Amino acid sequence: MNLLVLGDVMGESGRNILKNKLPEIIIKNKIDFVVVNGENAADDGRGITKNIAEEFFKKGVDVITSGNHIWDKEETTNYIDVEKRLLRPANLAEGSPGRGCEIFFSKDKKYKIGVINLMGNVFMRKTEDVFQEAKKISKKMVLKKDVDFIVVDFHGEITSEKMAIGHFFDGQVTCVVGTHTHVPTADTRVLDNGTAYQTDIGMCGDYNSVIGMNKENSIKRFLKDKDAVKHFPAIGEGTLSGIIVETNTGTGLAKNVVRLIDGGSLIK
């Protein structure tokens, strides 16, 4: 079975490349399940709306994960309670709307896939201890007992925290991917005990930018230029960025993992 996990979809550019490329990527690579981080998918790069989420589902996305921008659109707090395919970080405050982890089925309904959404504690909005939450979830959702495969999206700022969570889950889940920093790292690999890992899988959006935001305005803001305005997304040609995991159906772990870079200005 093949899993596709895509990084943060950034504004209109990210939505357009996903809409134009995802259906053919699913067919070409025989993808059985798609996870996309959608927390930056709105026009201003902050949050996600019901209409955007439902467009993603129509294009072949099975689950949408998120992070610190999940509540930036007011409508999301109601929508996430009724749409279980949209996840928020599991270690948000107890009683938060929605779900932080859930079990889904592959496109052919043959396999059960657990998806876990977590958010780092370092340089991020205040959340419950992510490692304690990871321990709790790992006892509730056990590979090859409760599900056939498990995908973890760790939305975090620093590489050490992401690497530590990768090694914590190694052998317990199919893959761990980092999101949030919008820059794909070059450490794609299968860890010692069989879990596919990449510290950050990058973004789906215009890389001729500053992490997806208009580069000219971003430079003005760093220079404290009086003409600088609030950050807004770049709108050039987007790139799809993520990983494809080939799974071992017997163990639920990874046989192989490769980076996916499609379209835009990044070199494949």
Side-chain angles (χ1 to χ4, degrees):
M1 195 187 88
N2 294 324
L3 302 170
L4 171 64
V5 190
L6 294 173
D8 311 42
V9 177
M10 188 66 184
E12 181 181 4
S13 174
R15 298 198 310 270
N16 285 342
I17 191 70
L18 185 144
K19 177 178 68 175
N20 294 333
K21 292 280 189 177
L22 182 59
E24 68 180 64
I25 287 172
I26 290 172
I27 294 170
K28 179 181 177 181
N29 296 281
K30 299 178 181 178
I31 301 298
D32 300 286
F33 194 77
V34 180
V35 179
V36 172
N37 189 296
E39 72 140 22
N40 298 126
D43 286 340
D44 61 357
R46 298 171 179 84
I48 188 168
T49 65
K50 175 183 177 181
N51 286 343
I52 292 171
E54 293 185 350
E55 181 180 27
F56 285 1
F57 296 140
K58 288 177 183 176
K59 292 299 177 180
V61 172
D62 295 291
V63 178
I64 301 170
T65 53
S66 64
N68 54 302
H69 288 293
I70 184 58
W71 307 133
D72 284 13
K73 295 292 176 276
E74 187 176 352
E75 67 180 81
T76 307
T77 56
N78 292 324
Y79 179 61
I80 202 169
D81 266 336
V82 297
E83 179 49 81
K84 76 173 189 176
R85 293 174 294 177
L86 174 61
L87 299 181
R88 46 84 173 166
N91 57 317
L92 293 185
E94 187 174 351
S96 295
R99 306 159 183 81
C101 60
E102 188 58 80
I103 297 172
F104 306 92
F105 284 94
S106 57
K107 294 184 184 301
D108 62 5
K109 309 300 181 186
K110 186 176 179 180
Y111 299 107
K112 293 167 70 174
I113 298 124
V115 182
I116 301 169
N117 196 176
L118 295 167
M119 187 159 70
N121 295 131
V122 183
F123 302 138
M124 301 291 283
R125 71 161 66 210
K126 185 173 176 57
T127 54
E128 301 299 326
D129 187 302
V130 68
F131 282 87
Q132 293 304 315
E133 187 65 30
K135 283 177 66 176
K136 291 177 187 175
I137 294 175
S138 66
K139 293 175 181 176
K140 294 178 183 176
M141 188 184 291
V142 179
L143 193 63
K144 304 313 293 182
K145 176 185 175 185
D146 303 304
V147 292
D148 298 295
F149 307 98
I150 300 176
V151 176
V152 178
D153 177 348
F154 187 90
H155 199 76
E157 189 72 42
I158 67 168
T159 54
S160 59
E161 194 180 30
K162 291 177 176 180
M163 287 181 171
I165 207 76
H167 289 299
F168 169 81
F169 276 118
D170 186 20
Q172 301 184 71
V173 304
T174 313
C175 69
V176 175
V177 301
T179 57
H180 179 65
T181 63
H182 292 198
V183 179
T185 53
D187 59 342
T188 315
R189 65 198 191 277
V190 177
L191 299 176
D192 290 347
N193 297 311
T195 293
Y197 174 82
Q198 186 172 323
T199 297
D200 200 288
I201 56 173
M203 69 172 179
C204 299
D206 180 5
Y207 278 87
N208 188 18
S209 66
V210 176
I211 62 168
M213 294 297 182
N214 176 273
K215 62 184 180 182
E216 289 82 11
N217 186 63
S218 295
I219 293 169
K220 286 180 181 179
R221 288 177 63 91
F222 278 114
L223 290 171
K224 299 179 174 57
D225 190 311
K226 62 180 177 60
D227 294 326
V229 297
K230 186 177 180 181
H231 283 302
F232 59 95
I235 56 172
E237 182 186 358
T239 300
L240 278 188
S241 183
I243 61 169
I244 296 174
V245 182
E246 181 186 359
T247 67
N248 182 320
T249 55
T251 64
L253 296 171
K255 290 171 64 177
N256 189 38
V257 56
V258 295
R259 272 182 283 174
L260 172 74
I261 302 292
D262 199 324
S265 57
L266 286 193
I267 298 173
K268 291 184 180 180

